[in-house]
């Protein structure tokens, strides 16, 4: 771990919120990007972001300096993503209307869709495909979904993903293969 | 390696994440297996479809919102960590079990005195109002005070707590700690007091985001910065020359160029031109020299010497080119 990072961790542990911010701002955009890709909703991504860094803040005192700080952050991020579905289900019990709003408002605020110009027909196809991909992704198990997101969209290496999820590389390979197979089945009419 | 296993490895083969041995085996198998070659092509097509979809990008605006919300959540979290929890936590570490009860009672008494003090009696820090703006001035900084004298006020956090004495018989304890009091200052950026706080933040804040926002707020003031507090100018020069964040240095340069171009600012700009490792900053320094009055540049040997040095020896092409352009303008 870099000496400046250790220094920031020590300061943050003693309650220096400025040091804490400087520490986490090195990784927070990646965390938000993973969350946004995982949940496809800016509001939910911000919720995940906040929970991740509150857990980091609370857990900092117990953090072992011999581990990589970034790995620890991304491990927390993946855990929060994995528990996101169950929390969302609990929320659905609280307010179905609210859940509908979340669903309707997905990818509408703050998340920018960047695309090259397409014909109206292509845009329609893309919109339909996006919806189907999202549906297929939601049908994966949380672990398969996070592994596919981290590998396919974020480009992490298998051993990095294994470290984040605290599992073996073999498990990551197996789950990735299953995720790809299930997505291909669900999207076979497009590819 | 069997056919089924190779098929399972193909998605990872495509991601380029197999070990060299596995990669060699897959390649070898592909040479002889038509079915797997077909599977690979199909996988490529599938990846192409997913890659062709519009990409989701997290905007700076969303990131800022997330950070602000996190900051508010952290503030709430910090408030939760009350004095009592902190003292109790320390007590648990320091005292043997048989002293804990006595210490807890004494600490509770001290906390009670502190809370009472916070409510009924405020000295040490004063809050006054001038021109509608609350000003914060520190009037005493005693590092060691008696319990009877009072030592806390509302919102004060403690840190760096050290025990000096413990008398198990009487339950009396003596300790020191740093009292950190959150303050909120609101006022016009051109106000002298506000500028002093900003100058302090530019030089002392550990948070690059805070430094950047503070310097940017000053840079936005344009010509009004001409009359800025000398502490601001000094802080901006320090930031320009020493801040580790190029964004802060760049904004400090922009702010300084709103001020009268005197010897101090000239030296700071030339320092950047000659020593900043960031080529963008060196170009910004040259561009800022262009903005200064023509007469000053013509007559200033230091600037001409620095520019010539850059033309001859800067390792970045664009910096050499810019320096040459400005020199040519000067000599016309």
């Amino acid at each position: 771990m870099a000496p400046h990072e250790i220094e920031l961790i020590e300061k943050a542990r003693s309650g220096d919120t400025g040091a804490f911010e400087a520490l986490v701002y090195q990784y927070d955009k990646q965390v938000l990007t993973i969350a946004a890709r995982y949940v496809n909703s800016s509001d939910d991504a911000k919720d995940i972001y906040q929970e991740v860094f509150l857990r980091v803040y609370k857990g900092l005192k117990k953090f072992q300096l011999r581990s990589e700080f970034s790995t620890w952050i991304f491990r927390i991020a993946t855990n929060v993503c994995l528990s996101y579905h169950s929390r969302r289900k609990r929320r659905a019990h609280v307010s179905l209307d609210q859940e509908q709003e979340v669903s309707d408002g997905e990818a509408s605020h703050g998340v920018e869709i960047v695309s090259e110009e397409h014909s109206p027909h292509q845009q329609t196809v893309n919109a339909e495909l996006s919806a189907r991909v999202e549906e297929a992704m939601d049908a994966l198990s949380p672990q398969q979904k996070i592994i596919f997101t981290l590998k396919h969209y974020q480009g992490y290496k298998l051993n990095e993903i294994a470290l984040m999820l605290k599992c073996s590389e073999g498990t990551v390979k197996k789950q990735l293969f299953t995720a790809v197979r299930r997505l291909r089945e669900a999207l076979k009419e497009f590819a | 390696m069997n056919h089924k296993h190779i098929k399972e490895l193909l998605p990872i083969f495509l991601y380029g994440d197999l070990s060299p041995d596995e990669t060699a085996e897959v390649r070898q198998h592909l040479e002889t297996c038509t079915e797997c070659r077909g599977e690979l092509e199909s996988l490529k097509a599938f990846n192409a479809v997913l890659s062709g979809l519009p990409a989701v990008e997290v905007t700076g605006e969303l990131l800022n919102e997330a950070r602000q919300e996190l900051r508010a959540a952290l503030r709430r979290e910090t408030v939760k960590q009350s004095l009592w929890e902190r003292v109790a936590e320390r007590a648990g570490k320091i005292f043997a079990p048989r002293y804990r009860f006595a210490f807890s009672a004494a600490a509770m008494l001290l906390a009670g005195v502190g809370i009472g003090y916070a409510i009924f009696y405020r000295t040490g820090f004063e809050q006054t109002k001038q021109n509608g703006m609350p000003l914060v001035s520190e009037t005493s900084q005693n590092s060691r005070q008696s319990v009877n004298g009072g030592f806390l006020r509302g919102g004060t956090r403690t840190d760096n707590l050290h025990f000096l004495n413990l008398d198990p018989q009487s339950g009396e304890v003596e300790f020191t700690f740093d009292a950190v009091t959150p303050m909120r200052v609101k006022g016009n950026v051109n106000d002298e007091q506000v500028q002093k706080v900003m100058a302090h933040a530019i030089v002392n804040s550990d948070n690059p985001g805070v430094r950047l926002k503070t310097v940017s707020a000053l840079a936005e003031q344009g010509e009004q910065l001409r009359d800025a507090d000398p502490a601001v100018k000094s802080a901006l020069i320090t930031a320009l020359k020493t801040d580790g964040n190029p964004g802060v240095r760049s904004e400090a340069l922009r702010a300084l160029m709103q001020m009268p171009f005197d010897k101090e600012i000239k030296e700071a700009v030339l320092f950047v031109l000659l020593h900043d490792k960031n080529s963008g900053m060196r170009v910004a320094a040259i561009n800022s020299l262009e903005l200064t009055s023509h007469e000053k540049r013509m007559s200033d040997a230091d600037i001409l010497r620095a520019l010539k040095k850059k033309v001859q020896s800067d390792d970045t092409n664009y910096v050499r080119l810019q320096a040459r352009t400005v020199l040519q303008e000067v000599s016309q």
Side-chain angles (χ1 to χ4, degrees):
Chain A
M1 200 185 309
H4 84 278
E5 201 160 78
I6 295 174
E7 194 184 328
L8 286 174
I9 289 170
E10 295 292 1
K11 282 186 180 174
R13 278 174 169 168
S14 65
D16 183 339
T17 48
F20 179 76
E21 286 180 1
L23 188 63
V24 300
Y25 285 179
Q26 300 175 92
Y27 309 105
D28 70 334
K29 190 172 182 187
Q30 280 169 275
V31 169
L32 191 60
T33 305
I34 291 170
R37 187 51 104 160
Y38 188 78
V39 294
N40 203 25
S41 151
S42 56
D43 285 339
D44 287 356
K46 281 194 294 181
D47 282 352
I48 289 176
Y49 172 99
Q50 189 174 115
E51 184 163 346
V52 168
F53 290 111
L54 280 176
R55 283 193 194 185
V56 170
Y57 184 74
K58 289 177 191 168
L60 205 55
K61 284 189 177 162
K62 289 178 188 167
F63 173 69
Q64 305 286 317
L65 288 172
R66 61 177 177 270
S67 313
E68 275 299 320
F69 185 67
S70 57
T71 306
W72 183 57
I73 282 194
F74 291 121
R75 184 175 296 155
I76 292 174
T78 50
N79 280 338
V80 175
C81 283
L82 287 173
S83 61
Y84 162 80
H85 286 286
S86 51
R87 278 186 287 124
R88 195 157 107 159
K89 274 176 197 162
R90 277 204 301 276
R91 269 206 318 231
H93 284 291
V94 175
S95 167
L96 282 173
D97 293 342
Q98 205 176 348
E99 184 61 35
Q100 186 59 45
E101 281 170 24
V102 169
S103 173
D104 290 346
E106 280 176 353
S108 62
H109 172 67
V111 174
E112 192 175 289
I113 303 294
V114 182
S115 64
E116 292 170 10
E117 285 195 8
H118 292 297
S119 66
H121 171 69
Q122 189 59 45
Q123 283 175 6
T124 310
V125 172
N126 276 347
E128 192 189 339
L129 179 57
S130 294
R132 290 290 295 279
V133 169
E134 199 183 323
E135 201 178 298
M137 290 280 284
D138 279 344
L140 298 176
S141 76
Q143 198 182 32
Q144 287 161 3
K145 187 177 172 183
I146 193 73
I147 287 173
F148 184 79
T149 303
L150 291 169
K151 181 70 230 172
H152 189 86
Y153 293 115
Q154 308 294 322
Y156 285 100
K157 294 204 166 295
L158 295 182
N159 59 351
E160 293 172 328
I161 298 172
L163 271 175
M164 288 181 204
L165 296 174
K166 254 188 166 172
C167 64
S168 70
E169 214 175 304
T171 304
V172 175
K173 272 185 190 172
K174 207 171 177 61
Q175 296 285 24
L176 182 62
F177 173 76
T178 310
V180 171
R181 181 176 51 76
R182 291 180 65 183
L183 287 172
R184 283 176 73 196
E185 276 167 17
L187 301 165
K188 60 186 170 199
E189 63 195 271
F190 294 96
Chain B
M1 207 175 276
N2 64 39
H3 177 76
K4 187 178 170 233
H5 186 59
I6 293 284
K7 262 184 138 178
E8 287 182 0
L9 290 180
L10 285 178
I12 301 154
F13 174 76
L14 261 188
Y15 288 129
D17 217 354
L18 287 180
S19 70
D21 286 350
E22 286 173 323
T23 306
E25 280 180 275
V26 171
R27 282 190 198 285
Q28 199 178 1
H29 180 84
L30 285 171
E31 281 175 16
T32 55
C33 181
T34 322
E35 190 186 332
C36 280
R37 281 204 300 275
E39 175 71 5
L40 186 66
E41 289 310 310
S42 171
L43 264 173
K44 281 182 185 170
F46 170 72
N47 279 358
V49 166
L50 287 189
S51 303
L53 282 175
V56 177
E57 191 194 29
V58 172
T59 61
E61 184 193 355
L62 181 66
L63 185 63
N64 277 338
E65 280 175 24
R67 285 177 173 179
Q68 279 170 16
E69 287 169 20
L70 174 65
R71 202 168 290 140
L74 283 174
R75 272 200 298 271
R76 288 193 295 273
E77 198 58 40
T78 308
V79 169
K80 277 188 202 166
Q81 290 181 327
S82 63
L83 170 67
W84 166 245
E85 284 172 321
R86 282 161 174 255
V87 170
E89 185 189 336
R90 304 254 178 173
K93 286 178 186 167
I94 293 167
F95 289 96
R98 64 199 174 104
Y99 292 136
R100 279 183 195 158
F101 181 77
F103 170 75
S104 298
M108 197 176 285
L109 177 67
L110 290 173
V113 171
I115 292 164
Y117 171 82
I119 296 169
F120 298 112
Y121 187 65
R122 290 188 173 194
T123 58
F125 288 92
E126 286 183 356
Q127 276 195 302
T128 57
K129 281 203 169 201
Q130 281 183 12
N131 303 326
M133 188 194 78
L135 297 179
V136 179
S137 64
E138 195 176 315
T139 56
S140 84
Q141 246 190 338
N142 294 336
S143 61
R144 193 171 160 172
Q145 297 182 21
S146 71
V147 173
N148 289 338
F151 54 87
L152 289 175
R153 52 176 229 140
T156 302
R157 288 190 292 118
T158 63
D159 204 355
N160 202 20
L161 191 144
H162 295 287
F163 278 86
L164 303 179
N165 286 306
L166 161 69
D167 183 349
Q169 301 297 322
S170 65
E172 192 173 275
V173 291
E174 185 181 3
F175 53 89
T176 62
F177 58 82
D178 301 335
V180 184
T181 306
M183 296 287 181
R184 189 186 180 95
V185 174
K186 190 176 180 183
N188 192 286
V189 70
N190 293 312
D191 185 281
E192 191 186 330
Q193 293 293 331
V194 172
Q195 287 192 350
K196 282 192 193 304
V197 175
M198 293 175 90
H200 186 268
I202 291 168
V203 178
N204 295 297
S205 175
D206 288 333
N207 184 335
V210 169
R211 299 198 303 276
L212 182 60
K213 277 186 184 169
T214 310
V215 175
S216 296
L218 287 166
E220 288 301 316
Q221 294 313 301
E223 290 196 350
Q224 285 182 304
L225 265 186
R226 285 179 165 274
D227 304 320
D229 190 276
V232 168
K233 182 177 159 191
S234 169
L236 288 170
I237 287 175
T238 304
L240 176 62
K241 290 165 77 172
T242 64
D243 199 289
N245 185 309
V248 176
R249 298 204 299 279
S250 171
E251 285 296 277
L253 178 62
R254 186 162 75 93
L256 282 168
M257 295 319 293
Q258 323 275 1
M259 296 176 164
F261 191 77
D262 60 12
K263 187 167 177 282
E264 275 182 294
I265 295 178
K266 182 193 82 176
E267 283 175 359
V269 173
L270 290 182
F271 180 88
V272 171
L273 179 59
L274 294 171
H275 302 294
D276 201 299
K277 287 182 179 164
N278 185 310
S279 58
M281 281 303 300
R282 299 200 296 278
V283 170
I286 294 173
N287 292 341
S288 66
L289 289 173
E290 270 193 295
L291 296 173
T292 61
S293 73
H294 191 68
E295 293 75 20
K296 272 187 179 166
R297 261 187 311 171
M298 285 284 283
S299 59
D300 197 303
D302 293 336
I303 294 179
L304 292 176
R305 202 177 308 119
L307 286 171
K308 279 176 189 163
K309 191 173 176 185
K310 288 286 109 179
V311 170
Q312 288 163 359
S313 62
D314 198 282
D315 54 11
T316 305
N317 219 359
Y318 187 64
V319 176
R320 292 198 300 273
L321 192 67
Q322 281 291 95
R324 183 178 294 121
T325 307
V326 175
L327 265 180
Q328 282 169 352
E329 279 176 22
V330 168
S331 55
Q332 280 170 5

